[in-house]
């Protein structure tokens, strides 16, 4: 089965954008809880740190993360399709 590289990349890009928006919203609404959860996820005590959530940072992160994941997904799909018999 071949993958449609463009659709696969678009799906990955949109999924990343949705997750970025949800994560940023959680950081905005529940900063202390998200710091604790983030620290637990990386096995560190980062409770003395603070988030730096700005509109420009949100937009830059949304664009850069979404596009980099989309590009990676496109490369993945191209390689996957070339490995198919």
């Amino acid at each position: 089965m071949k993958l449609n590289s463009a659709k696969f990349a678009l799906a990955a890009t949109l999924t990343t954008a949705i997750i970025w928006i949800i994560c940023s919203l959680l950081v905005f609404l529940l900063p202390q809880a998200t710091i604790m959860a983030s620290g637990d996820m990386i096995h560190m005590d980062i409770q003395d740190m603070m988030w730096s959530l700005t509109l420009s940072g949100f937009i830059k992160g949304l664009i850069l993360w979404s596009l980099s994941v989309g590009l990676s997904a496109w490369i993945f799909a191209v390689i996957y399709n070339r490995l198919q018999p």
Side-chain angles (χ1 to χ4, degrees):
M1 175 183 91
K2 296 238 179 203
L3 295 173
N4 181 319
S5 302
K7 287 183 180 180
F8 188 79
L10 180 60
T13 301
L14 293 174
T15 300
T16 302
I18 291 166
I19 291 170
W20 181 266
I21 291 167
I22 291 169
C23 182
S24 296
L25 187 61
L26 287 172
V27 167
F28 180 74
L29 295 174
L30 305 164
Q32 190 59 34
T34 53
I35 276 283
M36 290 174 56
S38 297
D40 291 343
M41 290 167 60
I42 59 173
H43 310 290
M44 291 181 64
D45 182 9
I46 60 172
Q47 291 183 25
D48 293 333
M49 299 176 86
M50 294 177 58
W51 292 115
S52 175
L53 181 62
T54 62
L55 181 59
S56 66
F58 167 77
I59 293 170
K60 288 176 190 175
L62 176 67
I63 293 168
L64 292 173
W65 275 109
S66 297
L67 291 179
S68 64
V69 169
L71 179 62
S72 297
W74 179 79
I75 293 168
F76 173 89
V78 168
I79 292 170
Y80 177 85
N81 287 337
R82 290 188 187 212
L83 293 173
Q84 294 298 308

